[in-house]
Coordinates of all heavy atoms in Angstrom, one line a residue:
M18 N 77.1 91.6 39.2 CA 78.4 91.6 38.5 C 78.8 93.0 38.1 O 77.9 93.7 37.5 CB 78.3 90.6 37.3 CG 79.6 90.5 36.5 SD 79.4 89.2 35.3 CE 81.0 89.3 34.6
E19 N 79.9 93.4 38.3 CA 80.4 94.8 37.9 C 80.7 94.9 36.5 O 81.3 94.0 35.9 CB 81.6 95.2 38.8 CG 82.0 96.6 38.6 CD 83.1 97.1 39.6 OE1 83.1 96.5 40.7 OE2 83.8 97.8 39.2
A20 N 80.3 96.0 35.8 CA 80.7 96.2 34.4 C 82.1 96.4 34.3 O 82.8 97.0 35.1 CB 79.9 97.4 33.9
K21 N 82.7 95.9 33.2 CA 84.1 95.9 32.9 C 84.4 97.3 32.3 O 83.8 97.7 31.4 CB 84.5 94.8 32.0 CG 86.0 94.7 31.9 CD 86.4 93.4 31.1 CE 87.8 93.1 31.2 NZ 88.2 92.0 30.4
R22 N 85.4 98.0 32.8 CA 85.8 99.3 32.3 C 86.6 99.2 31.1 O 87.6 98.4 31.1 CB 86.6 100.1 33.4 CG 87.1 101.4 32.9 CD 87.8 102.2 34.0 NE 86.7 102.8 34.8 CZ 86.9 103.5 35.8 NH1 88.2 103.8 36.2 NH2 86.0 104.1 36.5
P23 N 86.3 99.9 30.0 CA 87.1 99.8 28.8 C 88.5 100.3 29.0 O 88.7 101.2 29.8 CB 86.4 100.7 27.7 CG 85.5 101.5 28.5 CD 85.2 100.8 29.8
T24 N 89.5 99.7 28.3 CA 90.9 100.2 28.5 C 91.1 101.4 27.7 O 92.0 102.2 28.1 CB 91.8 99.1 28.0 OG1 91.5 98.7 26.6 CG2 91.7 97.8 28.9
A25 N 90.4 101.7 26.6 CA 90.6 102.9 25.8 C 89.2 103.5 25.6 O 88.2 102.8 25.4 CB 91.3 102.6 24.6
A26 N 89.1 104.8 25.5 CA 87.9 105.5 25.2 C 87.5 105.2 23.8 O 88.3 105.3 22.9 CB 88.0 107.0 25.5
P27 N 86.2 104.9 23.5 CA 85.8 104.8 22.1 C 86.0 106.0 21.3 O 86.0 107.1 21.9 CB 84.3 104.5 22.3 CG 84.0 104.1 23.7 CD 85.2 104.7 24.5
A28 N 86.1 105.9 20.0 CA 86.4 107.0 19.2 C 85.3 108.1 19.3 O 85.5 109.3 19.1 CB 86.5 106.6 17.7
E29 N 84.1 107.7 19.6 CA 83.0 108.6 19.7 C 82.6 109.1 21.1 O 81.6 109.6 21.4 CB 81.7 108.1 19.0 CG 82.0 107.8 17.5 CD 80.7 107.3 16.8 OE1 79.7 107.1 17.4 OE2 80.8 107.2 15.6
A30 N 83.5 108.8 22.0 CA 83.3 109.2 23.4 C 83.5 110.8 23.5 O 84.2 111.3 22.7 CB 84.3 108.5 24.3
A31 N 82.9 111.3 24.5 CA 83.0 112.8 24.8 C 83.3 113.0 26.3 O 82.5 112.4 27.1 CB 81.7 113.5 24.4
S32 N 84.3 113.7 26.6 CA 84.7 114.0 28.0 C 84.9 115.5 28.1 O 85.5 116.1 27.3 CB 86.1 113.3 28.3 OG 85.9 111.9 28.3
F33 N 84.4 116.0 29.2 CA 84.4 117.4 29.4 C 84.9 117.7 30.8 O 84.6 116.9 31.8 CB 83.0 118.1 29.4 CG 82.3 117.8 28.0 CD1 81.5 116.7 27.7 CD2 82.5 118.8 27.0 CE1 81.0 116.6 26.5 CE2 82.0 118.6 25.8 CZ 81.1 117.5 25.5
L34 N 85.7 118.8 31.0 CA 86.1 119.3 32.2 C 85.1 120.5 32.5 O 85.0 121.4 31.7 CB 87.5 119.8 32.2 CG 88.0 120.7 33.4 CD1 88.1 119.7 34.6 CD2 89.3 121.3 33.2
V35 N 84.5 120.5 33.7 CA 83.4 121.5 34.0 C 83.8 122.1 35.4 O 84.1 121.4 36.3 CB 82.0 120.9 34.1 CG1 81.0 121.9 34.4 CG2 81.7 120.2 32.8
R36 N 83.7 123.4 35.4 CA 83.9 124.1 36.7 C 82.9 125.2 36.8 O 82.6 125.9 35.9 CB 85.3 124.7 36.7 CG 85.6 125.4 38.0 CD 87.1 126.0 38.0 NE 87.2 126.8 36.8 CZ 88.4 127.2 36.3 NH1 89.5 126.8 36.9 NH2 88.5 127.9 35.3
F37 N 82.3 125.3 38.0 CA 81.3 126.4 38.3 C 81.8 127.1 39.6 O 82.4 126.5 40.4 CB 79.9 125.8 38.6 CG 79.2 125.6 37.3 CD1 79.2 124.3 36.7 CD2 78.5 126.6 36.7 CE1 78.6 124.1 35.5 CE2 77.8 126.4 35.5 CZ 77.9 125.1 34.9
W38 N 81.5 128.4 39.7 CA 81.8 129.2 40.8 C 80.7 130.2 41.1 O 80.0 130.5 40.2 CB 83.2 129.8 40.7 CG 83.3 130.8 39.5 CD1 83.0 132.1 39.6 CD2 83.6 130.4 38.2 NE1 83.2 132.6 38.3 CE2 83.6 131.6 37.5 CE3 83.9 129.3 37.6 CZ2 83.8 131.7 36.1 CZ3 84.2 129.3 36.2 CH2 84.2 130.5 35.5
R39 N 80.7 130.7 42.3 CA 79.7 131.8 42.7 C 80.5 133.1 42.4 O 81.6 133.3 42.8 CB 79.3 131.7 44.1 CG 78.4 130.6 44.4 CD 77.9 130.6 45.8 NE 78.7 131.4 46.7 CZ 78.5 131.5 48.1 NH1 77.6 130.7 48.6 NH2 79.2 132.2 48.8
E40 N 79.8 134.0 41.7 CA 80.3 135.3 41.3 C 79.5 136.3 42.0 O 78.3 136.4 41.8 CB 80.4 135.4 39.8 CG 81.2 136.6 39.3 CD 81.4 136.5 37.9 OE1 82.2 135.7 37.4 OE2 80.7 137.2 37.1
P41 N 80.1 137.2 42.8 CA 79.3 138.3 43.4 C 78.7 139.3 42.4 O 79.3 139.4 41.3 CB 80.3 139.0 44.4 CG 81.6 138.5 43.9 CD 81.5 137.3 43.1
R42 N 77.6 139.9 42.7 CA 77.0 140.9 41.9 C 77.6 142.2 42.2 O 78.3 142.3 43.2 CB 75.4 140.9 42.0 CG 74.8 139.5 41.8 CD 74.6 139.0 40.5 NE 73.8 139.8 39.5 CZ 72.6 139.6 39.3 NH1 71.8 138.8 40.1 NH2 71.9 140.3 38.4
G43 N 77.1 143.2 41.5 CA 77.7 144.6 41.7 C 77.3 145.2 43.0 O 78.0 146.0 43.6
K44 N 76.2 144.9 43.5 CA 75.6 145.4 44.8 C 75.7 144.4 45.9 O 75.4 143.2 45.7 CB 74.2 146.0 44.7 CG 74.1 147.1 43.7 CD 72.7 147.5 43.5 CE 72.6 148.7 42.5 NZ 71.2 149.1 42.3
A45 N 76.0 144.8 47.1 CA 76.1 143.8 48.2 C 74.8 143.1 48.5 O 74.9 142.0 49.0 CB 76.6 144.6 49.5
D46 N 73.7 143.7 48.3 CA 72.4 143.1 48.7 C 71.9 142.1 47.5 O 70.9 141.5 47.7 CB 71.3 144.1 49.0 CG 71.1 145.1 47.8 OD1 71.9 145.2 46.9 OD2 70.0 145.7 47.8
E47 N 72.6 142.0 46.4 CA 72.3 141.1 45.4 C 72.9 139.7 45.6 O 74.0 139.7 45.9 CB 72.6 141.7 44.0 CG 71.8 142.9 43.6 CD 72.3 143.4 42.3 OE1 73.5 143.4 41.9 OE2 71.3 143.9 41.5
A48 N 72.1 138.7 45.3 CA 72.6 137.3 45.5 C 73.7 137.1 44.4 O 73.6 137.5 43.3 CB 71.5 136.3 45.4
P49 N 74.7 136.3 44.7 CA 75.7 136.0 43.7 C 75.0 135.0 42.6 O 74.0 134.4 42.9 CB 76.8 135.2 44.5 CG 76.2 134.8 45.8 CD 75.0 135.7 46.0
V50 N 75.8 135.1 41.5 CA 75.2 134.2 40.3 C 76.3 133.1 40.1 O 77.5 133.2 40.5 CB 75.1 135.0 39.1 CG1 74.0 136.0 39.2 CG2 76.4 135.7 38.7
L51 N 75.8 132.0 39.5 CA 76.7 130.9 39.2 C 77.3 131.2 37.7 O 76.6 131.4 36.8 CB 76.0 129.6 39.1 CG 75.7 128.9 40.5 CD1 74.9 127.7 40.3 CD2 77.1 128.6 41.2
R52 N 78.5 131.1 37.6 CA 79.3 131.2 36.3 C 79.9 129.9 36.1 O 80.2 129.1 37.1 CB 80.2 132.3 36.3 CG 79.7 133.7 36.5 CD 78.8 134.1 35.3 NE 78.4 135.5 35.5 CZ 77.2 136.0 35.1 NH1 76.4 135.2 34.6 NH2 76.9 137.2 35.4
G53 N 80.3 129.5 34.9 CA 80.9 128.3 34.7 C 81.9 128.3 33.5 O 82.0 129.3 32.8
F54 N 82.5 127.2 33.3 CA 83.5 127.0 32.3 C 83.5 125.5 31.9 O 83.3 124.6 32.7 CB 84.9 127.3 32.9 CG 86.1 126.9 32.0 CD1 86.5 127.7 31.0 CD2 86.8 125.7 32.2 CE1 87.6 127.3 30.3 CE2 87.8 125.3 31.4 CZ 88.2 126.2 30.4
V55 N 83.5 125.2 30.6 CA 83.6 123.8 30.1 C 84.7 123.7 29.0 O 84.8 124.6 28.2 CB 82.2 123.4 29.6 CG1 81.7 124.2 28.4 CG2 82.2 121.9 29.2
R56 N 85.4 122.6 29.1 CA 86.4 122.3 28.1 C 86.2 120.9 27.5 O 86.0 120.0 28.3 CB 87.8 122.4 28.7 CG 88.9 122.0 27.7 CD 90.3 121.9 28.2 NE 90.7 123.2 28.7 CZ 91.3 123.5 29.9 NH1 91.8 122.5 30.6 NH2 91.7 124.7 30.3
N57 N 86.1 120.8 26.3 CA 86.0 119.5 25.6 C 87.4 119.0 25.6 O 88.3 119.5 25.1 CB 85.5 119.7 24.2 CG 85.4 118.4 23.4 OD1 86.2 117.5 23.5 ND2 84.2 118.2 22.7
L58 N 87.6 117.8 26.3 CA 88.9 117.3 26.4 C 89.5 116.7 25.2 O 90.7 116.5 25.1 CB 89.0 116.2 27.6 CG 88.6 116.9 29.0 CD1 88.6 115.8 30.0 CD2 89.7 118.0 29.4
K59 N 88.7 116.3 24.2 CA 89.1 115.8 23.0 C 89.5 116.9 22.0 O 90.6 116.8 21.3 CB 88.0 114.9 22.3 CG 88.4 114.3 21.0 CD 87.4 113.3 20.5 CE 87.8 112.6 19.3 NZ 86.8 111.7 18.8
T60 N 88.7 117.9 21.9 CA 89.0 119.0 20.9 C 89.7 120.2 21.4 O 90.3 121.0 20.7 CB 87.7 119.5 20.3 OG1 86.9 120.2 21.3 CG2 86.8 118.4 19.7
G61 N 89.6 120.3 22.8 CA 90.3 121.5 23.4 C 89.4 122.7 23.4 O 89.8 123.7 23.9
E62 N 88.2 122.6 22.8 CA 87.3 123.8 22.8 C 86.9 124.2 24.2 O 86.6 123.3 25.0 CB 86.0 123.4 22.0 CG 85.1 124.6 22.0 CD 83.7 124.1 21.4 OE1 83.5 123.0 21.0 OE2 82.9 125.0 21.4
E63 N 87.0 125.5 24.5 CA 86.6 126.0 25.8 C 85.5 127.0 25.7 O 85.4 127.8 24.6 CB 87.8 126.7 26.4 CG 89.0 125.8 26.6 CD 90.2 126.4 27.2 OE1 90.3 127.7 27.1 OE2 91.1 125.8 27.8
R64 N 84.6 127.1 26.7 CA 83.5 128.0 26.6 C 83.2 128.4 28.1 O 83.1 127.6 29.0 CB 82.3 127.3 26.0 CG 81.2 128.3 25.9 CD 80.1 127.6 25.1 NE 79.0 128.5 25.0 CZ 77.8 128.2 24.4 NH1 77.7 127.1 23.8 NH2 76.9 129.1 24.4
Y65 N 83.0 129.7 28.3 CA 82.5 130.2 29.6 C 81.0 130.2 29.5 O 80.4 130.5 28.5 CB 83.1 131.6 29.8 CG 84.5 131.5 30.3 CD1 85.5 131.6 29.3 CD2 84.8 131.3 31.6 CE1 86.9 131.5 29.7 CE2 86.2 131.2 32.0 CZ 87.2 131.3 31.0 OH 88.5 131.2 31.4
L66 N 80.4 130.0 30.7 CA 78.9 129.8 30.8 C 78.3 130.8 31.7 O 78.9 131.0 32.8 CB 78.6 128.4 31.2 CG 79.3 127.2 30.5 CD1 79.1 125.9 31.2 CD2 78.7 127.1 29.1
A67 N 77.2 131.3 31.4 CA 76.5 132.3 32.2 C 75.6 131.6 33.4 O 75.2 132.2 34.2 CB 75.6 133.2 31.4
G68 N 75.6 130.3 33.2 CA 74.8 129.5 34.3 C 74.8 128.0 33.9 O 75.2 127.6 32.8
P69 N 74.3 127.2 34.8 CA 74.3 125.8 34.6 C 73.4 125.3 33.4 O 73.7 124.3 32.8 CB 73.7 125.2 35.9 CG 73.7 126.3 36.9 CD 73.9 127.6 36.2
E70 N 72.3 126.0 33.2 CA 71.4 125.7 32.0 C 72.3 125.7 30.7 O 72.0 125.0 29.8 CB 70.2 126.5 31.9 CG 70.5 128.0 31.9 CD 70.9 128.6 33.2 OE1 70.5 128.1 34.3 OE2 71.5 129.7 33.2
Q71 N 73.2 126.6 30.6 CA 74.0 126.6 29.3 C 74.9 125.4 29.2 O 75.2 125.0 28.1 CB 74.9 127.9 29.3 CG 74.1 129.1 29.0 CD 75.0 130.4 28.8 OE1 76.2 130.4 29.2 NE2 74.4 131.4 28.1
L72 N 75.3 124.8 30.3 CA 76.1 123.6 30.2 C 75.3 122.5 29.5 O 75.8 121.8 28.6 CB 76.5 123.1 31.6 CG 77.3 121.8 31.6 CD1 78.6 121.8 30.8 CD2 77.5 121.3 33.0
A73 N 74.0 122.3 29.9 CA 73.2 121.3 29.3 C 73.0 121.5 27.8 O 73.2 120.6 27.0 CB 71.9 121.2 30.0
D74 N 72.8 122.8 27.5 CA 72.7 123.1 26.0 C 74.0 122.8 25.3 O 73.9 122.3 24.1 CB 72.3 124.6 25.9 CG 70.9 124.9 26.4 OD1 70.1 123.9 26.5 OD2 70.6 126.1 26.7
H75 N 75.1 123.2 25.8 CA 76.4 123.0 25.1 C 76.7 121.6 24.9 O 77.0 121.1 23.8 CB 77.5 123.7 25.9 CG 78.8 123.6 25.3 ND1 79.2 124.3 24.1 CD2 79.9 122.9 25.6 CE1 80.4 124.0 23.8 NE2 80.9 123.1 24.7
V76 N 76.5 120.8 25.9 CA 76.9 119.3 25.9 C 75.8 118.6 25.0 O 76.2 117.8 24.1 CB 76.9 118.7 27.3 CG1 77.1 117.2 27.2 CG2 78.1 119.3 28.1
R77 N 74.6 119.0 25.1 CA 73.5 118.4 24.2 C 73.9 118.7 22.8 O 73.8 117.7 21.9 CB 72.2 118.9 24.5 CG 71.1 118.3 23.7 CD 69.7 118.8 24.1 NE 69.4 118.7 25.5 CZ 69.3 119.7 26.4 NH1 69.5 121.0 25.9 NH2 69.0 119.5 27.6
G78 N 74.2 119.8 22.4 CA 74.6 120.2 21.0 C 75.8 119.3 20.5 O 75.8 118.9 19.4
Y79 N 76.8 119.2 21.3 CA 77.9 118.4 21.0 C 77.5 116.9 20.7 O 77.9 116.3 19.8 CB 79.0 118.5 22.0 CG 80.3 117.7 21.6 CD1 81.2 118.3 20.7 CD2 80.5 116.4 22.0 CE1 82.3 117.6 20.3 CE2 81.6 115.7 21.7 CZ 82.5 116.3 20.8 OH 83.7 115.6 20.4
L80 N 76.8 116.4 21.7 CA 76.4 115.0 21.6 C 75.4 114.7 20.4 O 75.5 113.7 19.8 CB 75.7 114.5 22.9 CG 76.6 114.5 24.1 CD1 75.9 114.1 25.3 CD2 77.8 113.6 23.9
E81 N 74.5 115.7 20.1 CA 73.7 115.5 18.9 C 74.6 115.4 17.7 O 74.3 114.7 16.7 CB 72.7 116.6 18.8 CG 71.6 116.5 19.8 CD 70.7 117.7 19.9 OE1 71.0 118.7 19.3 OE2 69.7 117.7 20.7
G82 N 75.7 116.2 17.6 CA 76.6 116.1 16.4 C 77.2 114.7 16.4 O 77.5 114.1 15.3
L83 N 77.5 114.1 17.5 CA 78.1 112.7 17.5 C 77.1 111.7 17.0 O 77.4 110.8 16.3 CB 78.6 112.3 18.9 CG 79.8 112.9 19.5 CD1 80.1 112.3 20.9 CD2 81.0 112.6 18.6
A84 N 75.8 111.9 17.4 CA 74.7 110.9 17.0 C 74.4 111.0 15.6 O 73.8 110.1 15.0 CB 73.6 111.1 18.0
A85 N 74.6 112.2 14.9 CA 74.2 112.4 13.6 C 75.1 111.5 12.6 O 76.3 111.5 12.8 CB 74.4 113.9 13.2
P86 N 74.4 110.8 11.7 CA 75.2 110.0 10.8 C 76.1 110.8 9.9 O 75.7 111.9 9.4 CB 74.2 109.3 10.0 CG 72.9 110.1 10.1 CD 73.0 110.7 11.4
S87 N 77.4 110.5 9.8 CA 78.3 111.3 9.0 C 78.2 110.8 7.5 O 77.6 109.7 7.3 CB 79.8 111.0 9.5 OG 80.1 109.7 9.3
A88 N 78.8 111.5 6.6 CA 78.8 111.2 5.2 C 79.5 109.8 5.0 O 79.1 109.0 4.2 CB 79.4 112.3 4.4
R89 N 80.6 109.6 5.8 CA 81.3 108.3 5.7 C 80.4 107.2 6.1 O 80.4 106.1 5.4 CB 82.5 108.4 6.6 CG 83.4 107.2 6.4 CD 84.4 107.2 7.5 NE 83.7 107.0 8.8 CZ 84.1 106.3 9.8 NH1 85.3 105.7 9.7 NH2 83.4 106.1 10.8
D90 N 79.6 107.3 7.2 CA 78.7 106.3 7.6 C 77.7 106.0 6.5 O 77.4 104.8 6.2 CB 77.9 106.7 8.9 CG 78.9 106.8 10.1 OD1 80.0 106.2 10.1 OD2 78.5 107.5 11.0
A91 N 77.2 107.0 5.9 CA 76.2 106.8 4.8 C 76.8 106.0 3.6 O 76.2 105.1 3.0 CB 75.6 108.2 4.3
G92 N 78.0 106.4 3.3 CA 78.7 105.6 2.2 C 79.0 104.1 2.6 O 78.9 103.3 1.8
D93 N 79.3 103.9 3.9 CA 79.5 102.5 4.3 C 78.2 101.8 4.2 O 78.2 100.6 3.8 CB 80.0 102.5 5.8 CG 81.5 103.0 5.9 OD1 82.1 103.1 4.9 OD2 81.9 103.3 7.0
R94 N 77.1 102.4 4.6 CA 75.8 101.7 4.5 C 75.4 101.4 3.0 O 74.9 100.3 2.7 CB 74.7 102.6 5.2 CG 74.7 102.4 6.7 CD 73.4 103.0 7.3 NE 73.2 104.5 6.9 CZ 73.8 105.5 7.5 NH1 74.5 105.3 8.5 NH2 73.5 106.7 7.1
A95 N 75.7 102.4 2.1 CA 75.5 102.2 0.7 C 76.2 100.9 0.1 O 75.7 100.2 -0.6 CB 75.8 103.4 -0.1
K96 N 77.5 100.8 0.6 CA 78.3 99.7 0.2 C 77.8 98.4 0.6 O 77.9 97.3 -0.1 CB 79.8 99.9 0.7 CG 80.5 100.9 0.0 CD 81.9 101.0 0.6 CE 82.6 102.3 0.1 NZ 84.0 102.5 0.8
L97 N 77.1 98.4 1.8 CA 76.6 97.2 2.3 C 75.2 96.9 1.9 O 74.5 96.0 2.3 CB 76.6 97.2 3.9 CG 78.0 97.3 4.5 CD1 77.9 97.5 6.0 CD2 78.7 96.0 4.2
G98 N 74.6 97.8 1.1 CA 73.2 97.7 0.5 C 72.2 98.1 1.5 O 71.1 97.6 1.4
G99 N 72.5 99.0 2.5 CA 71.6 99.4 3.5 C 71.1 100.7 3.4 O 70.8 101.5 3.0

């Protein structure tokens, strides 16, 4: 059975536009390097990346912020006795 696609993104969803390209080096005999760009589609934050490993670090940092309990969440738990 196929999972049903939600009609709207959850409030805590994260969507990114990512683009990578090969960039030539200064000398013809040097291999090109991968450069990148990432945009958070919710916040509009943009960042250029020196390589793919920076993408993982950037997205991980953002997602860890989503997973961290907010002050509002703590207040809600206190009201419920949790």
Side-chain angles (χ1 to χ4, degrees):
M18 182 174 178
E19 188 174 328
K21 193 172 185 179
R22 178 176 278 184
T24 56
E29 295 182 359
S32 298
F33 298 90
L34 170 70
V35 178
R36 181 177 56 195
F37 279 94
W38 61 92
R39 288 187 341 190
E40 192 169 281
R42 307 286 298 270
K44 297 180 181 179
D46 61 339
E47 292 180 325
V50 293
L51 281 175
R52 299 288 187 218
F54 170 85
V55 60
R56 176 184 299 144
N57 182 316
L58 296 178
K59 183 175 182 179
T60 67
E62 177 190 2
E63 298 178 341
R64 182 172 178 182
Y65 284 90
L66 308 167
E70 56 285 335
Q71 285 189 340
L72 173 65
D74 293 340
H75 179 72
V76 172
R77 184 180 303 111
Y79 183 82
L80 295 177
E81 286 171 353
L83 283 181
S87 69
R89 187 191 65 142
D90 293 340
D93 290 346
R94 282 193 303 277
K96 288 177 188 175
L97 295 173

